[in-house]
Amino acid sequence: MTPASELRSGKTDRDENFPVASWIIHKRHRALILAFYNFVRTADDIADHALLDASTKLSMLDELETGLLGQHDEQVEANTLRAAFAERGMAPRHALDLLTAFRMDVTKLRYADWDELIHYCSFSAMPVGRFMLEVHGEDKATWPASDAICAALQINNHLQDCAKDYRDLDRVYLPQDIMRRHGVSVEALDKPKSSPELLACLRDLVARNEALLREGDSLTVHMADTRFACNIAVIEKFAWEISKLLRVHDPLSEKVHLSKGSMAGYALAAMAGCLWRRATTSAPLSRPAAGK
């Protein structure tokens, strides 16, 4: 078997749009979160690998799955995550859901409408939030708000990278019906600059995505773990700020990302706001499961 580690892109948790295992998270959770991240990042890099054909990608993803399920010990990332799950008594369901999304990335290059895109996010993004909530022992009642935030994060990423995804992988996450409504073809993504029609399409999707962020707005109030709530507040703040950038910048001709300096400022503001909101809101908090 080819070591999956050899197919990594070099991207790490520090390159993401959101904090993966930051100092905000209690240190007892960080090893498990990083094991999960490294497994998922490896699978994602396989699905996006420019030099592998589809059958090889699917075979490698299958190897990661069977390794995670304990059928062999050939893939380091699978071994590490399997051991981390066993130590915490957790099932691998969320990691398996993500593998489903990466298989979709290999085999599905277009999305007919918004509902199809959200279905993809139910495997590609929502399991990440659910995993984090489970790690922290949060109630399942928090899942719907988390699902909305995670889908919004994923779609922000699709909008930021829409040209790169098309040029490098012939993969288009912009719903086809919304593109048609604005008179846009996928070939518009290969231009050096967005047409007015494409910009209108992208901003239509930004507005839909902001509605998802609003759906998740109550999450930080209803969580039991204050540190994790602050972490989520930071992620939400980053998502909103990226959305603001997407409203005024062209992702085909401009880099639509937050600077490291601005992220630090946004993080501090988000944590302060989260603590104030939790202190002044009477909404009942969920309670973590025993032993978490």
Side-chain angles (χ1 to χ4, degrees):
M1 295 182 183
T2 302
S5 305
E6 294 182 4
L7 302 173
R8 289 283 293 266
S9 65
K11 187 175 183 179
T12 72
D13 58 287
R14 296 182 181 277
D15 300 309
E16 301 292 348
N17 278 336
F18 51 88
V20 173
S22 71
W23 60 269
I24 307 172
I25 297 290
H26 196 286
K27 64 182 180 180
R28 71 177 178 271
H29 300 311
R30 290 179 199 159
L32 172 56
I33 293 168
L34 286 172
F36 186 85
Y37 174 82
N38 283 322
F39 178 87
V40 171
R41 169 48 51 201
T42 300
D44 196 4
D45 287 346
I46 288 169
D48 290 352
H49 203 287
L51 301 180
L52 298 179
D53 60 31
S55 63
T56 302
K57 291 179 180 182
L58 294 173
S59 177
M60 290 296 302
L61 292 172
D62 287 345
E63 285 184 15
L64 285 173
E65 178 172 319
T66 53
L68 183 62
L69 296 175
Q71 297 176 24
H72 62 77
D73 295 315
E74 301 297 323
Q75 300 296 350
V76 173
E77 291 83 0
N79 298 343
T80 303
L81 182 57
R82 186 175 76 236
F85 277 146
E87 184 178 347
R88 294 288 287 266
M90 288 178 62
R93 57 176 295 188
H94 306 303
L96 295 176
D97 281 346
L98 286 158
L99 289 176
T100 296
F102 299 135
R103 292 185 180 101
M104 291 174 69
D105 282 336
V106 175
T107 60
K108 185 174 177 64
L109 302 179
R110 302 289 186 271
Y111 289 83
D113 52 33
W114 181 258
D115 288 343
E116 270 199 9
L117 183 59
I118 295 298
H119 178 258
Y120 168 76
C121 291
S122 73
F123 291 102
S124 69
M126 297 177 191
V128 176
R130 294 180 179 191
F131 162 76
M132 292 292 290
L133 291 167
E134 186 175 346
V135 166
H136 286 82
E138 298 289 347
D139 194 281
K140 285 187 177 180
T142 58
W143 283 19
S146 172
D147 288 349
I149 292 170
C150 289
L153 289 170
Q154 177 75 84
I155 294 168
N156 263 356
N157 186 257
H158 292 330
L159 298 176
Q160 289 171 286
D161 294 340
C162 60
K164 183 177 184 294
D165 287 338
Y166 177 63
R167 292 167 185 163
D168 296 351
L169 300 163
D170 189 30
R171 197 183 291 161
V172 179
Y173 294 101
L174 310 185
Q176 291 179 298
D177 64 335
I178 297 175
M179 294 183 76
R180 285 195 299 270
R181 191 177 308 148
H182 290 278
V184 179
S185 68
V186 295
E187 290 78 17
L189 295 169
D190 197 29
K191 304 295 184 183
K193 182 178 179 180
S194 290
S195 65
E197 293 79 11
L198 178 55
L199 284 175
C201 175
L202 294 172
R203 285 159 192 172
D204 184 343
L205 291 167
V206 169
R208 290 169 182 257
N209 216 33
E210 289 177 348
L212 285 175
L213 286 172
R214 284 189 287 272
E215 282 183 36
D217 182 61
S218 65
L219 179 60
T220 56
V221 173
H222 294 283
M223 294 167 62
D225 190 302
T226 297
R227 292 179 69 146
F228 185 38
C230 286
N231 193 73
I232 295 298
V234 172
I235 290 170
E236 286 187 274
K237 179 63 172 174
F238 289 174
W240 275 109
E241 294 303 322
I242 289 170
S243 188
K244 291 177 184 177
L245 292 178
L246 286 165
R247 282 189 170 277
V248 297
H249 293 287
D250 176 8
L252 268 63
S253 61
E254 302 171 87
K255 187 175 182 180
V256 186
H257 290 281
L258 301 178
S259 69
K260 295 297 183 183
S262 67
M263 290 173 76
Y266 293 143
L268 291 173
M271 287 188 287
C274 177
L275 292 171
W276 173 257
R277 189 178 183 194
R278 286 170 66 85
T280 57
T281 300
S282 60
L285 302 179
S286 63
R287 288 290 174 257
K292 298 292 185 181

